[in-house]
Amino acid sequence: MASYLIRRVIGAVPLVWGVCTLVFFVVHLAPGDPTAIYWNPDTDPQVIREMQHNLGLDRPLPEQYVRWLGRFLTGDFGHSFARNRPVSEVLAEALPNTLILSSVSLVILFTLGILAGTASAVRPRSLLDHAITLVSFFFYSMPAFWFALMLLLVFHYRLEWFPADQMHALDFEYDALPFLGRMADRVRHIVLPATALGLGATAGVARYTRASLLDVIRMDYIRTARAKGLPESRVIFRHALRNALIPVVTLVGLYLPFLFSGAVLVETIFGWPGMGRVIVTAIFQRDYPLVMANAFLMAVLVIAANLAADLAYSFVDPRIRHGGEER
């Protein structure tokens, strides 16, 4: 297992380097100037030129790239142009919030997807199967930003069940709550963004689960279990579903990039203080160090998620060894 992990980590290095290099040249070649946020009619052009010189923006682009890469390899993410803070501090505040939102969305996505897929497979081509397929594809076909806006319109403005933004109530209200009250307040704030991010993708998990479970149900050992008189619920949930979930495990690694990219829109709409909101603000402000550090972390998270999905195979299916061999 150690050699397998080392090979995967070494193989990921050029991939992360390629992603960061591509993002570097794209953001630097895009129109705009990071010093524009300091412009006003009374600003002396000489001051702007001195700021560009101090930030290294007046140097040739290849030289800027080499300087950035040298600092980056030493773990120096630089200083945010717009926030006037070290980039590492900004990311340390935003990353946990994005991980919390993505984790809750992932739980919603796979819990509902597996339940819907199982219900469809147990009664294939029934009215329940058609209804689940129709509903799941209805949510799947909706753009995430439109679905998020509809959730806000219905559950915040019309019904007033959930708050519209932030992770918790205002500081003075939140600090006055007891522990359970704080937990309930955080749950109320995460329901809408997590639902907007996770619910739309349940159709994919449901269809994978349905197809895989239908294949397993037709196998001889399932017929044997039924012939022995085992309850149907035990046959499905104990004998069939575990084997049917093996291909679904791969979806964890595939859906995490979707959740991270979807978080950019959802966090912006719901004012969630995560990496998605940070990177949108950084792109509009041409905050190059913050954009680059965000791109690096996103690439590392996606690669780590795919590696975790591969490792999960061995726990779900004991026949599979790390490194591609099978027993």
Side-chain angles (χ1 to χ4, degrees):
M1 177 188 243
S3 60
Y4 173 74
L5 285 174
I6 292 173
R7 286 200 307 272
R8 290 292 301 268
V9 171
I10 293 175
V13 172
L15 181 60
V16 174
W17 171 75
V19 170
C20 291
T21 300
L22 179 63
V23 173
F24 179 89
F25 285 101
V26 168
V27 297
H28 280 75
L29 292 174
D33 186 347
T35 60
I37 58 175
Y38 302 106
W39 287 355
N40 67 61
D42 300 327
T43 303
D44 187 345
Q46 180 61 28
V47 173
I48 297 298
R49 285 194 289 272
E50 289 179 0
M51 292 176 63
Q52 292 174 337
H53 177 73
N54 293 334
L55 296 175
L57 300 174
D58 57 346
R59 295 186 175 93
L61 191 56
E63 183 181 344
Q64 293 184 46
Y65 174 73
V66 172
R67 286 174 174 268
W68 167 80
L69 188 60
R71 293 194 305 270
F72 203 76
L73 290 177
T74 61
D76 181 10
F77 288 167
H79 211 81
S80 169
F81 294 164
R83 298 170 186 256
N84 198 24
R85 297 173 58 195
V87 169
S88 56
E89 289 185 7
V90 178
L91 295 182
E93 293 177 359
L95 179 60
N97 299 335
T98 294
L99 292 179
I100 291 173
L101 179 60
S102 298
S103 300
V104 175
S105 301
L106 198 66
V107 171
I108 293 174
L109 193 164
F110 276 88
T111 301
L112 296 180
I114 291 173
L115 288 176
T118 304
S120 294
V122 171
R123 300 182 183 279
R125 292 179 292 279
S126 65
L127 181 61
L128 177 64
D129 183 20
H130 293 309
I132 290 175
T133 301
L134 179 65
V135 172
S136 59
F137 275 97
F138 172 75
F139 287 112
Y140 185 74
S141 62
M142 285 192 295
F145 74 93
W146 186 84
F147 185 42
L149 293 176
M150 291 302 102
L151 288 176
L152 275 178
L153 178 65
V154 175
F155 293 101
H156 174 69
Y157 291 105
R158 298 288 184 185
L159 302 177
E160 299 183 356
W161 288 357
F162 301 104
D165 58 4
Q166 299 300 324
M167 291 183 65
H168 54 72
L170 298 176
D171 287 343
F172 69 92
E173 296 175 343
Y174 183 75
D175 293 340
L177 294 172
F179 175 76
L180 292 179
R182 293 183 183 184
M183 295 296 293
D185 181 70
R186 284 185 175 269
V187 170
R188 290 183 67 244
H189 279 80
I190 202 172
V191 166
L192 291 186
T195 303
L197 192 56
L199 188 60
T202 55
V205 178
R207 300 306 292 175
Y208 264 90
T209 304
R210 180 184 183 277
S212 179
L213 191 56
L214 284 175
D215 290 338
V216 173
I217 286 175
R218 299 189 185 103
M219 291 185 175
D220 292 339
Y221 76 95
I222 296 297
R223 282 196 289 269
T224 303
R226 285 171 170 162
K228 290 169 66 177
L230 294 178
E232 184 65 15
S233 59
R234 187 174 179 183
V235 172
I236 296 298
F237 291 103
R238 184 165 181 176
H239 296 284
L241 188 58
R242 181 178 177 183
N243 290 324
L245 290 181
I246 292 175
V248 179
V249 170
T250 59
L251 297 180
V252 177
L254 297 176
Y255 272 104
L256 278 175
F258 165 78
L259 293 178
F260 290 141
S261 60
V264 174
L265 286 175
V266 172
E267 289 181 0
T268 303
I269 292 173
F270 289 97
W272 188 268
M275 290 182 62
R277 189 180 174 192
V278 167
I279 197 170
V280 169
T281 307
I283 290 173
F284 280 121
Q285 295 175 330
R286 301 294 186 272
D287 195 343
Y288 298 150
L290 198 50
V291 173
M292 293 308 305
N294 254 295
F296 168 75
L297 275 184
M298 289 285 189
V300 169
L301 288 173
V302 169
I303 292 172
N306 280 280
L307 177 58
D310 290 343
L311 294 177
Y313 268 120
S314 63
F315 296 101
V316 177
D317 188 353
R319 297 170 299 175
I320 298 176
R321 287 180 178 175
H322 297 302
E325 299 179 5
E326 292 191 6
R327 294 174 185 171

